[in-house]
Amino acid sequence: MKIYLASGNQHKLSELRIALQQAGLDGCEVFSADLIGGMPEVDETGDSFEANAILKAEALRPQGSEEAFYLSDDSGIEIDHLNGQPGIRSARYAGDTCNDKANNEKVLSEMTEVPDGQRGCRFRCVLALVGEGLTKTFSGSCEGTLLREYRGSGGFGYDPLFLPKESDSTFAEISSEEKAKISHRARALGKLMEYLRERLSLN
């Protein structure tokens, strides 16, 4: 089974290969989008993580072979008090040309008056796998609390403000190994591995 990753992120490619190896899925080979011309620009017009993940996977598909599969992801943070925002706009919440700091500062300003007991949020990741006659999504989430100030220097995005329920440390403070066990992306990957294992056993 040949899978092309619809992303130019080499970290995600490495992460996927490690997950497949740990799952014992030797029948799956993962390749970079660079091998088939690179990831094209995608206008993420979907109204959900699922829709945008599928858009990205389908965008790469015409550049490859019909028998291959194409995998993408879309993720972000959902804050209960903000009715699920930033959600699909997480990467550009403060504007199309914003950075992580601008996004974080906007969220903090909007949550200034919100009491500690009402700052629930979650990171959510959706993986989309598409191919001939196949369109499937796999969702993973990690529940937590949005802090009032930054903690930690690791990670990226909203990590310094996110305190997961399973830890006393933010996503910017915990080790990559611990994050890989509890993160939204890790949980989505786990569901994908289960599906691939079942699919390969049927072939």
Side-chain angles (χ1 to χ4, degrees), residues 123-181:
F123 268 122
R124 201 156 80 83
C125 172
V126 173
L127 300 173
L129 183 68
V130 303
E132 189 66 32
L134 176 72
T135 300
K136 286 191 72 69
T137 59
F138 310 87
S139 178
S141 64
C142 181
E143 297 288 331
T145 301
L146 189 83
L147 300 182
R148 296 183 180 278
E149 56 187 25
Y150 300 97
R151 277 177 41 186
S153 58
F156 58 92
Y158 301 89
D159 284 359
L161 297 177
F162 182 76
L163 184 68
K165 284 187 175 180
E166 294 93 336
S167 177
D168 293 325
S169 302
T170 68
F171 266 7
E173 293 175 311
I174 63 176
S175 67
S176 56
E177 291 78 15
E178 184 180 356
K179 186 177 180 182
K181 294 176 183 177

Side-chain angles (χ1 to χ4, degrees), residues 34-59:
D34 292 341
L35 293 181
I36 51 176
M39 187 62 198
E41 287 292 327
V42 180
D43 190 8
E44 296 181 29
T45 56
D47 59 0
S48 66
F49 292 120
E50 286 81 3
N52 283 330
I54 291 170
L55 278 174
K56 287 184 272 190
E58 289 287 3

Side-chain angles (χ1 to χ4, degrees), residues 64-75:
S65 58
E66 288 188 5
E67 67 272 12
F69 295 87
Y70 305 86
L71 180 71
S72 68
D73 79 301
D74 198 45
S75 59

Side-chain angles (χ1 to χ4, degrees), residues 194-203:
E194 289 179 16
Y195 171 76
L196 293 176
R197 188 178 291 109
E198 291 174 4
R199 186 180 180 93
L200 288 171
S201 68
L202 295 175
N203 291 341

